[in-house]
């Protein structure tokens, strides 16, 4: 059992060892993929993004102020960037549109002044959205430079602010000391005023009592004098009235006696004359005692003379010591914020839909798979089946047969690409650009080139088994290095130059221009022409190789 | 009668190796000529030149009066090729294959369809016309392969080992079709390894070896020309003594071990004398086999028994 197992393993290893195509596929193909991917993606893993050359960054300083100088100075120190001063934003934009640079920085007029004034301001970064790695790298460096400039300005402003705060704190402490002293003084003055008022009120009360007593004594004296004088004045009256009264009683007594003496003739006696009556006023006057009369006759004010009440005026109000909490800080403005606004040079969105890159890229990859393997395997199959020999013995020109085969594949490839782009549009919302039908140009070009390259592979691969390694190496190289799997800008500069020899590079350039940069038909002319030229060259080479290597074996 | 296929002094080289060294062959209308030879003899090369797929380095070749390669295009209208491979498209149906090749022969749509029907009937595949070829057995594919070559009723038919690997029934059907085409007037050059097949079909046989014509003629002529004699194989009850054939004229012992003996005789009439001699020598004959000279004997006599693995064009290409 083990012996059989060992023999079977040995047999399979021997088979593999003798399968040259398989060995190439196992060894050379992955090495090539690793090489291409490694060089292409080096930028993602810390290698110099631009390879041996730095990114060109046009800088249009329309401000001409401190900010521009600081930014240029900061960016000039970045090894990954070659600052290229340009006159204005139009020149900067032209360099980006022309593909010289992936980004361009514009420092708009008035930015420095706005910042110093504490106003927000913006820098303008023109971008080519296709070169998003370059854009990302430059954006990061510009942001870093901006951050440094901003940080420096903030630092200076903070320093000034700190100094101002120190001064303000000292002034505040002086102010607070003065305020406390003043408050204490004012508080003392209030106490003094209260004491003075109390003393004044006490003195006033005493004075009032004394005055009142003096007035009362004076009034009593005046009343007594008036009573005495009144009594003296009324004494004759009293005398008279007393005399009158006595006389009236004497007359009454007399009369009574007269009547009594008149006996029975008393009634005949005539009524005596009525004595004069005393006027009531006189009677009241006479009846009143001197005191009452004096009180009645003396003016009330003289009898109830009051000391005028003296109301002290309120003490003068002390000024309210409403001290502000602290004196105003001296004005110290921070510089305004500075941001970077991005704008695509073609008016396309600065952020791209990843499918705008991936849909054409992988469509081209699978186109290559279909065309290279389809055309080459199809032709080799025909050779192996013997149908090529049969067709060559038939009246139809063999070239026409071959062209028909390639044309059929071309149509299939065209339909495949259109279908994939339609799926990309419907499912992933990829942009088809302002003129979607313009995509047909590079599509026709790359399908033609891929079809013709299939003939080259068919001519190079001696057998069906050889197609896989030859085809896979060709497909991987063309797709990877040509920007189908990742943007060309990821690749080092030398690789980007080398990739111009691949039709995929031109196809992706056209797709990027039309779909991502939103450019118009004219942008597709040059890449399509190159693709057609490549296709024609491949067709010629493929025919030569196919005739020499493949048909020779029929 | 003017030959439909006329080859004279054809030379073809692959690098330093000479595949055909001045071969001259002709085939008349309605004639089937068998092309025999070991691997690397030049059979396929000769057929490829006649099929206008290869160009000879020297010599002349005409097909139905069209000189090759100058008039190759005209020749292609009248020649049919049945390659050694089953040169059909596996994923197409039989009818689709036939219609396609008919169109490539220059027939219009209607004529192509009619030709396809005729060809299907010729090879007995009408019932399977609409099945993809990959479902066919080897014999069916071989028949279809033949049909694709005769769609346009060619005046010249080149067949390169058309019955390799087929079942007897299919072989018979192919033979019948080839014979029918010959009867219809086609000149047929039939390349094969199979001597029996060649003898069965071919009026004449051309035996190629290392790019030269080793022999040509009818089967009987080839056998006669090879001067081969019949042989007797005897098995007796006991071993015969060494001189037991001394008194038999026209007989010679070739080999003898124990009770078996191989005897060459000049004519079959000598068999009785050999039997008598064996009996006289005390050996009762238990078994007797008479082997008459055949085309295969001629083939081996002319080409030897050595293997020719390194003489094919493919080997030369290596």
């Amino acid at each position: 059992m083990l012996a059989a197992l060992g023999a079977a393993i040995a047999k399979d290893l021997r088979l593999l060892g003798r399968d040259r195509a398989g060995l190439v596929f196992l060894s050379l193909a992955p090495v090539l993929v690793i090489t291409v991917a490694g060089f292409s993606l080096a930028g993602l893993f810390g290698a110099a993004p631009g390879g041996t050359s730095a990114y060109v960054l046009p800088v249009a300083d329309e401000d001409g102020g401190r900010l521009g100088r600081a930014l240029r100075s900061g960016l000039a120190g970045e090894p990954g960037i070659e600052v290229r001063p340009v006159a204005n934003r139009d020149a900067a934009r032209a360099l980006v549109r022309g593909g010289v640079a992936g980004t361009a920085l514009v420092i708009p007029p008035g930015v420095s002044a706005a910042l110093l004034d504490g106003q927000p301001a913006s820098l303008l970064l023109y971008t080519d959205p296709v070169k998003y790695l370059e854009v990302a790298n430059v954006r990061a460096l510009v942001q870093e430079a901006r951050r440094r400039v901003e940080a420096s300005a903030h630092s200076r402003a903070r320093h000034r602010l700190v100094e101002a705060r120190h001064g303000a704190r000292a002034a505040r402490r002086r102010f607070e000391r003065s305020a406390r002293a003043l408050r204490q003084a004012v508080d003392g003055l209030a106490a003094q005023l209260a004491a003075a008022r109390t003393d004044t009120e006490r003195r006033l009360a005493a004075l009032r009592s004394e005055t009142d007593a003096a007035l009362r004594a004076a009034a009593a004296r005046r009343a007594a004098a008036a009573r005495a004088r009144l009594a003296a004045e009324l004494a004759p009256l009293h005398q008279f009235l007393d005399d009158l009264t006595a006389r009236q009683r004497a007359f009454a007594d007399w009369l009574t006696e007269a009547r009594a003496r008149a006996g029975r003739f008393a009634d005949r006696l005539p009524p005596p004359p009525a004595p004069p009556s005393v006027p009531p006023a006189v009677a009241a006057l006479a009846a009143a005692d001197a005191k009452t009369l004096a009180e009645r006759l003396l003016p009330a004010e003289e009898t109830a003379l009051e000391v005028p009440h003296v109301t002290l005026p309120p003490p003068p109000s002390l000024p309210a010591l409403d001290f502000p909490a602290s004196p105003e800080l001296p004005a110290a403005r921070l510089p305004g914020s500075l941001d970077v606004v991005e704008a695509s040079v073609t008016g396309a969105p600065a952020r791209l839909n990843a499918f705008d890159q991936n849909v054409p890229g992988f469509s081209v990859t699978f186109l290559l798979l279909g065309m290279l393997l389809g055309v080459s395997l199809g032709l080799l199959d025909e050779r192996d089946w013997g149908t090529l020999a049969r067709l060559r013995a038939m009246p139809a020109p063999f070239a026409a047969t071959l062209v028909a085969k390639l044309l059929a594949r071309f149509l299939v490839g065209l339909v495949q690409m259109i279908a994939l782009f339609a799926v990309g549009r419907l499912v992933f919302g990829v942009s088809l650009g302002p003129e979607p039908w313009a995509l047909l140009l590079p599509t026709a070009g790359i399908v033609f080139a891929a079809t013709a390259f299939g003939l080259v592979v068919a001519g190079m691969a001696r057998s069906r088994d050889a197609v896989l390694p030859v085809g896979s190496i060709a497909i991987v190289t063309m797709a990877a290095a040509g920007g189908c799997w990742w943007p060309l800008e990821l690749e080092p500069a030398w690789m980007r130059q080398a990739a111009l020899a691949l039709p995929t590079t031109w196809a992706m350039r056209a797709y990027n221009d039309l779909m991502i940069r939103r450019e118009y038909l004219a942008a597709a002319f040059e890449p399509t022409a190159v693709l057609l030229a490549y296709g024609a060259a491949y067709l010629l080479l493929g025919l030569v190789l196919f005739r020499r290597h493949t048909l020779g074996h029929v | 009668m003017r030959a439909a296929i006329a080859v004279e002094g054809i030379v073809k080289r692959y690098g330093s190796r000479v595949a055909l060294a001045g071969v001259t062959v002709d085939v008349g209308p309605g004639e089937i000529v068998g092309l025999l030879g070991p691997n690397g003899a030049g059979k396929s090369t000769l057929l490829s030149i006649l099929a206008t797929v290869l160009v000879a380095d020297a010599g002349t070749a005409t097909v139905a009066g069209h000189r090759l390669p100058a008039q190759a295009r005209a020749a292609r209208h009248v020649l049919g090729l049945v390659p050694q491979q089953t040169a059909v498209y596996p994923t197409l149906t039989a009818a689709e294959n036939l219609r396609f090749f008919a169109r490539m022969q220059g027939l219009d749509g209607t004529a192509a369809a009619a030709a396809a029907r005729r060809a299907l009937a010729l090879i007995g595949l009408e019932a399977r016309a609409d099945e993809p070829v990959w479902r066919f057995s080897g014999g069916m594919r071989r028949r279809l392969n033949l049909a694709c070559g005769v769609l346009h009723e060619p005046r010249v038919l080149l067949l390169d080992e058309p019955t390799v690997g087929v079942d007897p029934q299919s072989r018979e059907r192919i033979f019948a079709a080839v014979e029918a085409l010959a009867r219809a007037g086609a000149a047929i050059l039939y390349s094969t390894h199979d001597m029996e097949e060649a003898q069965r079909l071919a009026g004449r046989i051309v035996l190629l070896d290392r790019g030269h014509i080793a022999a040509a003629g009818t089967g009987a002529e080839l056998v006669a020309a090879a001067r081969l004699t019949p042989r007797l194989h005897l098995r007796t009850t006991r071993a015969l003594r060494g001189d037991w054939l001394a008194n038999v004229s026209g007989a010679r012992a070739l080999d003898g071990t124990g009770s078996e003996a191989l005897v060459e005789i000049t004519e079959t009439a000598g068999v009785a004398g050999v039997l008598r001699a064996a009996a006289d020598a005390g050996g009762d004959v238990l078994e007797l086999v008479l082997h008459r000279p055949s085309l295969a004997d001629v083939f081996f006599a002319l080409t030897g028994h050595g293997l020719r693995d390194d003489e094919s064009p493919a080997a030369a290409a290596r």
Side-chain angles (χ1 to χ4, degrees):
Chain A
M1 174 66 184
L2 284 177
L5 191 66
I9 292 171
K11 178 265 297 176
D12 276 313
L13 292 176
R14 196 169 290 124
L15 286 175
L16 179 62
R18 289 172 188 171
D19 178 6
R20 281 186 296 181
L23 287 176
V24 167
F25 190 67
L26 285 174
S27 54
L28 188 59
V31 167
L32 190 83
V33 173
I34 290 165
T35 306
V36 172
F39 278 124
S40 298
L41 300 177
L44 284 182
F45 300 100
T52 53
S53 60
Y55 292 133
V56 172
L57 177 64
V59 175
D61 185 1
E62 297 176 343
D63 179 60
R66 240 168 81 180
L67 174 67
R69 288 193 296 277
L71 275 174
R72 279 207 312 276
S73 161
L75 289 169
E78 295 290 349
I81 283 183
E82 177 196 330
V83 174
R84 187 174 295 179
V86 293
N88 52 39
R89 65 182 66 198
D90 291 337
R93 193 164 45 212
L95 287 175
V96 178
R97 285 192 73 111
V100 175
T103 55
L105 182 64
V106 177
I107 304 166
V111 167
S112 295
L115 283 179
L116 287 175
D117 201 31
Q119 302 298 317
S122 299
L123 301 172
L124 179 58
L125 189 66
Y126 283 126
T127 61
D128 179 351
V130 172
K131 301 179 177 179
Y132 71 78
L133 182 69
E134 180 177 344
V135 170
N137 280 312
V138 174
R139 180 194 298 129
L141 293 172
V142 168
Q143 289 284 11
E144 178 61 23
R146 178 202 63 78
R147 194 194 60 72
R148 281 199 302 269
V149 168
E150 202 176 56
S152 169
H154 276 255
S155 174
R156 284 197 303 273
R158 265 197 303 276
H159 182 69
R160 286 198 301 270
L161 190 57
V162 166
E163 285 181 343
R165 274 194 177 145
H166 282 311
R169 280 203 190 98
R172 179 175 177 156
R173 282 195 293 273
R174 287 196 300 274
F175 171 80
E176 283 173 349
R177 280 199 300 274
S178 299
R180 270 198 304 276
L182 183 58
R183 187 170 281 120
Q184 284 170 356
V186 169
D187 289 348
L189 183 61
Q192 286 171 356
L193 279 173
R197 180 184 178 92
T198 305
D199 185 53
T200 303
E201 282 176 346
R202 187 177 51 75
R203 290 186 186 193
L204 275 174
L207 183 60
R208 179 185 174 95
S209 297
E210 287 174 8
T211 305
D212 190 47
L215 284 172
R216 284 183 189 283
R221 280 192 305 275
R222 281 185 64 189
R227 272 192 313 269
R229 208 169 39 248
L230 195 56
E233 290 291 335
L234 290 174
L237 180 58
H238 284 148
Q239 188 65 42
F240 168 73
L241 287 173
D242 288 345
D243 191 35
L244 181 58
T245 303
R247 285 182 180 256
Q248 279 175 346
R249 266 186 318 257
F251 177 74
D253 287 345
W254 176 83
L255 188 51
T256 304
E257 183 119 5
R259 278 178 185 178
R261 283 184 188 172
R264 66 186 173 153
F265 298 110
D267 56 353
R268 288 183 188 175
L269 291 171
S277 61
V278 178
V282 175
L285 185 63
D289 64 1
K291 183 181 178 185
T292 304
L293 196 57
E295 286 176 354
R296 192 194 315 163
L297 293 177
L298 284 175
E301 59 272 18
E302 289 185 5
T303 58
L305 189 61
E306 286 194 2
V307 177
H309 185 74
V310 177
T311 302
L312 285 175
S317 57
L318 290 173
L321 296 178
D322 187 15
F323 295 113
S326 61
E328 285 291 326
L329 285 174
R333 264 192 298 269
L334 284 174
S337 63
L338 180 65
D339 65 352
V340 179
V341 176
E342 289 184 25
S344 164
V345 287
T346 59
R351 298 279 184 270
L352 61 86
N353 174 357
F355 286 101
D356 286 354
Q357 159 71 26
N358 291 330
V359 166
F362 284 93
S363 296
V364 169
T365 302
F366 279 88
L367 173 79
L368 292 175
L369 274 171
M371 293 298 109
L372 265 61
L373 299 182
V375 171
S376 55
L377 290 181
L379 287 168
L380 291 173
D381 278 343
E382 291 234 27
R383 187 194 72 183
D384 294 342
W385 292 335
T387 48
L388 272 187
R390 188 189 285 280
L391 290 169
R392 291 183 73 195
M394 290 185 166
F398 184 70
T401 307
L402 200 57
V403 167
K405 189 170 192 66
L406 298 181
L407 195 58
R409 282 286 171 180
F410 174 82
L411 292 174
V412 168
L414 210 55
V415 170
Q416 178 192 10
M417 289 295 284
I418 290 170
L420 288 172
F421 273 73
V423 169
R425 176 65 178 172
L426 295 174
V427 180
F428 305 114
V430 299
S431 158
L432 299 181
E435 293 173 328
W437 54 269
L439 290 168
L440 285 174
L441 285 186
T443 300
I446 187 63
V447 173
F448 173 54
T451 308
F453 197 78
L455 189 61
V456 175
V457 173
M460 290 170 66
R462 303 294 179 90
S463 68
R464 206 173 191 282
D465 289 342
V467 167
L468 189 59
V470 171
S472 63
I473 287 171
I475 290 166
V476 165
T477 305
M478 292 172 91
C484 294
W485 297 349
W486 46 72
L488 275 170
E489 281 62 36
L490 282 183
E491 298 171 6
W494 66 266
M495 202 164 174
R496 288 201 296 272
Q497 284 301 315
L500 292 176
L502 304 173
T504 43
T505 306
W506 294 91
M508 289 309 297
R509 176 183 288 189
Y511 288 134
N512 287 342
D513 281 348
L514 296 173
M515 296 173 68
I516 298 176
R517 296 189 178 102
R518 309 284 204 271
E519 296 199 9
Y520 291 84
L521 175 67
F525 286 160
E526 185 196 11
T528 303
V530 174
L531 285 169
L532 293 176
Y534 272 123
Y538 290 153
L539 191 61
L540 198 63
L541 177 65
L543 284 171
V544 169
L545 288 172
F546 191 67
R547 288 192 75 85
R548 181 176 297 171
H549 294 151
T550 308
L551 296 184
H553 289 188
V554 173
Chain B
M1 183 176 61
R2 189 175 180 184
I5 298 173
V7 175
E8 189 171 344
I10 281 288
V11 175
K12 178 67 184 175
R13 297 184 187 86
Y14 295 107
S16 61
R17 182 178 170 277
V18 180
L20 294 173
V23 171
T24 299
V25 178
D26 61 87
V27 183
E31 186 183 16
I32 301 174
V33 171
L35 196 57
L36 271 176
N39 285 339
K43 303 186 299 295
S44 294
T45 300
L46 179 58
L47 288 181
S48 295
I49 290 169
L50 291 172
T52 72
V53 174
L54 287 181
V55 176
D57 296 323
T60 60
T62 58
V63 170
H66 303 294
R67 191 179 176 89
L68 302 180
Q71 297 173 314
R73 193 157 184 187
R76 287 172 186 152
H77 282 284
V78 294
L79 73 84
L81 173 67
V82 179
Q84 189 173 342
Q85 296 149 296
T86 50
V88 292
Y89 296 101
T91 50
L92 298 184
T93 66
E96 287 169 339
N97 269 290
L98 289 167
R99 283 197 296 270
F100 168 69
F101 286 120
R103 295 301 302 268
M104 298 306 284
Q105 278 292 351
L107 303 183
D108 63 24
T110 310
R117 281 194 299 275
R118 277 198 310 274
L120 284 166
L122 179 71
I123 57 169
L125 278 178
E126 305 100 311
R128 310 291 292 273
D130 296 322
E131 278 189 36
V133 172
W134 61 265
R135 288 191 194 162
F136 285 9
S137 66
M140 292 162 70
R141 290 185 197 199
R142 284 283 168 196
R143 279 145 58 197
L144 180 62
N145 192 34
L146 171 67
C148 291
V150 301
L151 278 162
H152 55 303
E153 299 173 339
R155 289 161 56 192
V156 170
L157 181 59
L158 308 170
L159 297 109
D160 194 356
E161 302 182 28
T163 59
V164 172
V166 303
D167 58 294
Q169 286 80 7
S170 289
R171 177 185 283 118
E172 282 306 312
R173 190 64 181 240
I174 290 171
F175 288 170
V178 171
E179 286 168 338
L181 290 164
R183 281 197 299 277
I188 298 172
L189 188 56
Y190 191 109
S191 166
T192 181
H193 285 296
D194 190 320
M195 319 295 169
E196 184 193 345
E197 196 170 291
Q199 274 191 307
R200 154 85 188 272
L201 285 175
R204 284 192 298 134
I205 293 167
V206 174
L207 205 159
L208 273 180
D209 187 30
R210 293 193 171 96
H212 297 273
I213 293 179
T218 64
E221 287 171 347
L222 290 180
V223 172
R227 300 178 186 282
L228 295 176
T229 54
R231 292 180 182 188
L232 276 177
H233 181 257
L234 292 163
R235 190 161 64 84
T236 54
T237 52
R238 60 183 178 184
L240 302 173
R241 59 176 192 273
D243 59 346
W244 66 282
L245 276 177
N247 297 323
V248 181
S249 64
R252 183 168 63 99
L254 294 176
D255 194 11
T257 54
S259 59
E260 296 196 4
L262 181 63
V263 178
E264 181 188 59
I265 55 178
T266 53
E267 53 187 22
T268 52
V271 172
V274 172
L275 287 173
R276 273 197 302 276
D280 293 345
D284 294 334
V285 175
L286 297 175
E287 185 180 340
L288 170 72
V289 177
L290 172 63
H291 182 78
R292 294 174 187 277
S294 67
L295 194 58
D297 295 317
V298 175
F299 184 89
F300 285 120
L302 293 175
T303 63
H305 286 268
L307 297 175
R308 302 295 181 83
D309 297 338
D310 295 329
E311 296 181 15
S312 66
R318 289 198 295 268

